[in-house]
Amino acid sequence: MEHRVGTILGMDNEQTAIKTSYFSIIGNTSLAIIKALAGFFGNSYALIADAIESTTDIFSSLLVLFGLKYARRPADENHPYGHGRIEPLITFLVVAFLVTSATIIAYESILHIQTPHKVPQPWTLIVLGGIIAWKEVSYRIVIRKSELTNSSSLRADAWHHRSDAITSVTAFIGISIAIIFGKGYETADDWAALVASAFILYNSYLIFRPALGEIMDEHLYDDLQKEIRAVSLTVPGILSTEKCLIRKAGMQYHIDLHARVDGQISVTEGHDLAHLLKDTLCEKIPTLGHVSIHIEPQG
């Protein structure tokens, strides 16, 4: 019964993550169109650069959606721990999209800086103001859902929204400078796009690093480890815990735990205690997936 509760909560998390990815896809598609049109008619390459990033965001959000749906597949003979490891792999692809878009934006910005062009239209600032507000709201929605569902690919998608907001802010500053100072400052929004590409590269690293730690089974879960040990000691018969190894796969954590029990009890009693401990952990910490308990005698 307890394990079933954890499973149901896990399914709820998966549904939440998938719905959130649809939200990102629809939002990115709408904004890419708005930015491209505003940039073209408003003489702003910074906005066009923004549109390029939003276009890559669409594809990355589609990748996230694919990863989330694939990760939902149950464990099978070839994948006894489930399919959750697809999430950090998808995150790597999302980072690749970010780096590619940053490179394109930087290259095109340099070309535009060297080419004379018109000052952007003042009304593009109104468009950018709305975009900045929407992308920041989107970031906060998606990052909250990523924390709720424990999804690394959804977290990467959230940072896509934040990086989009940053590029829009730099575009707003660049266009403002070009409009206020006029002739001679036409390239200000191109310089803004160039600065934005650097921000995107930095955010790419922030997304990449934890995903790499996840795929390498790096220990990054001290708080969860403390919680597991505390819950374990609430189980009658569990005297203490030793090793507690944690690895993350998708939205779940798989653990190997060594628990000490009275060395005088029978093998059957030790076996029953291990099952009780496992059920208790799955009930109290629904994000746990595969739980392996090793019983150690004490005394």
Side-chain angles (χ1 to χ4, degrees), residues 96-270:
F97 269 106
L98 274 172
V99 172
T100 300
S101 65
T103 304
I104 293 172
I105 289 171
Y107 175 76
E108 292 292 335
S109 297
I110 293 170
L111 291 181
H112 278 73
I113 288 170
Q114 298 170 343
T115 305
H117 56 80
K118 298 179 182 178
V119 174
Q121 295 292 329
W123 56 262
T124 56
L125 292 176
I126 299 174
V127 175
L128 274 170
I131 290 170
I132 292 168
W134 173 250
K135 293 306 290 187
E136 183 60 23
V137 168
S138 297
Y139 164 77
R140 292 180 182 276
I141 291 173
V142 179
I143 197 67
R144 188 163 56 247
K145 296 297 183 182
S146 74
E147 291 168 354
L148 175 67
T149 60
N150 202 33
S151 169
S152 58
S153 60
L154 206 58
R155 187 176 298 110
D157 206 28
W159 274 102
H160 252 298
H161 289 295
R162 172 54 67 82
S163 67
D164 212 0
I166 290 171
T167 56
S168 296
V169 168
T170 57
F172 189 95
I173 294 171
I175 293 173
S176 297
I177 292 172
I179 291 172
I180 292 171
F181 294 99
K183 189 172 178 59
Y185 288 86
E186 296 90 346
T187 60
D189 76 318
D190 302 312
W191 283 103
L194 190 59
V195 171
S197 67
F199 274 111
I200 295 170
L201 287 174
Y202 176 67
N203 282 330
S204 298
Y205 170 75
L206 294 179
I207 297 168
F208 173 79
R209 184 62 187 85
L212 178 63
E214 183 175 332
I215 208 76
M216 294 295 293
D217 287 333
E218 183 178 355
H219 178 69
L220 302 168
Y221 318 111
D222 287 332
D223 290 342
L224 178 58
Q225 189 180 77
K226 290 177 182 176
E227 185 179 5
I228 289 169
R229 293 188 188 280
V231 171
S232 298
L233 294 179
T234 66
V235 177
I238 301 299
L239 304 179
S240 63
T241 56
E242 290 187 336
K243 294 179 182 178
C244 182
L245 307 180
I246 303 173
R247 51 181 166 169
K248 186 173 182 289
M251 302 179 203
Q252 293 185 317
Y253 296 96
H254 303 309
I255 69 168
D256 295 285
L257 179 66
H258 287 216
R260 283 193 172 277
V261 301
D262 184 353
Q264 301 303 313
I265 65 175
S266 67
V267 173
T268 300
E269 289 174 307

